[in-house]
Amino acid sequence: MKGRTFLSAILAGTLLATQGCERHEERIFHMIRCTMAASVEKQNDPLIVKSWEITGLYMRENGIKKNIAELTKITANVRDEIMGSSDSSWDGRDTRVNEIVNSEFCRAYLNLLQQK
């Protein structure tokens, strides 16, 4: 288990180094956004679990404390972005998912997770 935690810390550190100096809150939002979009697109459970673990580790290492209501709000906002309005088509949802997954941040983040 220690090796897995150490690997997660290395991945999180590498992500920080490749993405520059964004605010922590914005980074957390993008990590969650990327995870949720990837879960819709790929249904890759091990990758999704690893992503949630890295997000939690990143928050702990940076002293970021979010309560359930704050995390629920972030995920609700991402869900609304992905699903679109009530009259949106599935094709529209798929387009939004692809845009998120193919964003620079998400590509780099998912590639790092898949390497380990």
Short mmCIF file of all heavy atoms in Angstrom, two decimals, residues 2 58 76 116:
data_model
loop_
_atom_site.label_atom_id
_atom_site.label_comp_id
_atom_site.label_asym_id
_atom_site.label_seq_id
_atom_site.Cartn_x
_atom_site.Cartn_y
_atom_site.Cartn_z
N LYS A 2 2.01 1.20 0.71
CA LYS A 2 2.88 2.37 0.75
C LYS A 2 3.39 2.72 -0.64
O LYS A 2 3.49 3.87 -1.00
CB LYS A 2 4.05 2.14 1.69
CG LYS A 2 3.75 2.41 3.12
CD LYS A 2 5.02 2.35 3.93
CE LYS A 2 4.75 2.80 5.34
NZ LYS A 2 5.96 2.86 6.12
N TYR A 58 -4.11 14.96 -3.63
CA TYR A 58 -3.73 16.33 -3.95
C TYR A 58 -4.34 17.31 -2.93
O TYR A 58 -3.66 18.22 -2.44
CB TYR A 58 -4.18 16.69 -5.36
CG TYR A 58 -3.89 18.11 -5.75
CD1 TYR A 58 -2.61 18.49 -6.16
CD2 TYR A 58 -4.87 19.09 -5.71
CE1 TYR A 58 -2.33 19.79 -6.51
CE2 TYR A 58 -4.60 20.40 -6.06
CZ TYR A 58 -3.33 20.74 -6.47
OH TYR A 58 -3.06 22.04 -6.80
N ALA A 76 -21.94 18.51 -9.20
CA ALA A 76 -23.22 18.88 -9.83
C ALA A 76 -22.99 19.85 -10.99
O ALA A 76 -23.62 19.72 -12.05
CB ALA A 76 -24.16 19.50 -8.80
N LYS A 116 1.01 4.59 -15.12
CA LYS A 116 1.32 3.84 -13.90
C LYS A 116 0.22 2.88 -13.53
O LYS A 116 -0.87 3.01 -13.69
CB LYS A 116 1.61 4.78 -12.73
CG LYS A 116 2.73 5.76 -13.02
CD LYS A 116 4.03 5.04 -13.22
CE LYS A 116 5.11 6.02 -13.62
NZ LYS A 116 6.31 5.44 -14.00
#
